Amino acid sequence: DEYEDATSMHANSQARARKGGELNTFLKSSITALFQRQMVLLQTQSVTQFKDLLLNSVVTGGGRNSNGSKEVVLDSFSKKAEECSVAALHLSFHSYKESLKNSMTSYAQLFEDSATVQISAMQRYERLAQRPIRRQPNANIGLNLTGALRPRGFGNFQLVTGYSDGPLVMNFSVCNDADAAEQEGQGSVPLFRLQPTLHYDLDL
């Protein structure tokens, strides 16, 4: 358009028409060549990404198969290639996408049958087998109940018993020594006393 405006005074000139045609051809050729280089570069980057995804799925055990990796790469390629397309010159990325898809399919078949995959898988399993088992932190909460019954008397009767069930522990004693204790200066002795104790057992 700029060329047409700048040379409008020579609208009937054959030289103008010839130069205009040459310029138009040059621009189309340059844009087409640039588009093709961009597509080839994106294809190369995409194949590298695909190879990395396949190898990573073996090394890490991520579980993504070749079809899943292929879809990830094709989606990324389409988004980038769409920005390079030139509709006015019918420069579309779809044929390059199909070519990329075929290349990845061929490589995936070779990759799955290659010794590289088997070696990588064995190395991963060896690392897992040699990895020390990490103990999970463990916390136990327990309750201990201690009860004492001390009726009147001078200690001529004593009984001690206990019960345990998992985190619960109970101890109970009977001793008729209240009179003896008071005479020894211990003051007033309560008839019954219950002492609860809560304890934590942490295994790190």
Side-chain angles (χ1 to χ4, degrees):
D1 292 338
E2 292 181 0
Y3 175 80
E4 295 291 335
D5 294 338
T7 59
S8 59
M9 65 182 65
H10 304 289
N12 297 323
S13 171
Q14 293 183 353
R16 173 179 179 271
R18 185 177 68 255
K19 289 296 183 180
E22 293 176 354
L23 179 60
N24 187 51
T25 300
F26 173 77
L27 290 176
K28 287 183 178 180
S29 176
S30 298
I31 294 174
T32 300
L34 177 60
F35 173 76
Q36 291 173 343
R37 287 196 295 270
Q38 289 175 323
M39 291 299 102
V40 172
L41 177 61
L42 284 177
Q43 284 181 325
T44 302
Q45 294 174 344
S46 297
V47 170
T48 301
Q49 180 187 7
F50 182 64
K51 292 179 180 179
D52 291 341
L53 286 175
L54 288 184
L55 184 58
N56 186 66
S57 67
V58 174
V59 174
T60 64
R64 178 186 287 125
N65 55 28
S66 60
N67 289 331
S69 299
K70 190 185 306 180
E71 291 301 322
V72 171
V73 174
L74 287 176
D75 182 65
S76 177
F77 174 84
S78 297
K79 292 178 180 178
K80 295 176 181 179
E82 179 69 32
E83 299 176 356
C84 302
S85 299
V86 184
L89 298 181
H90 305 289
L91 297 177
S92 173
F93 69 90
H94 295 291
S95 61
Y96 293 92
K97 179 180 179 180
E98 190 65 25
S99 175
L100 172 62
K101 182 178 180 180
N102 293 335
S103 297
M104 289 191 297
T105 300
S106 299
Y107 180 80
Q109 185 62 44
L110 293 174
F111 184 84
E112 292 172 359
D113 295 337
S114 71
T116 302
V117 176
Q118 299 174 14
I119 294 175
S120 298
M122 286 188 293
Q123 289 176 341
R124 174 177 177 271
Y125 292 141
E126 289 176 357
R127 287 194 297 269
L128 290 176
Q130 296 173 359
R131 182 181 303 173
I133 299 176
R134 181 180 180 182
R135 295 191 307 170
Q136 295 295 327
N138 186 33
N140 295 316
I141 301 177
L143 176 62
N144 192 323
L145 296 176
T146 301
L149 179 64
R150 302 178 72 178
R152 311 300 300 186
F154 294 91
N156 58 336
F157 176 79
Q158 295 183 7
L159 173 67
V160 178
T161 184
Y163 173 78
S164 176
D165 184 10
L168 176 61
V169 177
M170 293 187 297
N171 296 300
F172 183 71
S173 65
V174 179
C175 182
N176 62 337
D177 64 343
D179 293 329
E182 291 177 357
Q183 291 181 3
E184 292 176 358
Q186 297 183 19
S188 178
V189 178
L191 176 63
F192 180 73
R193 175 179 292 177
L194 179 64
Q195 180 180 348
T197 302
L198 189 64
H199 61 86
Y200 294 88
D201 184 10
L202 300 178
D203 183 8
L204 302 177

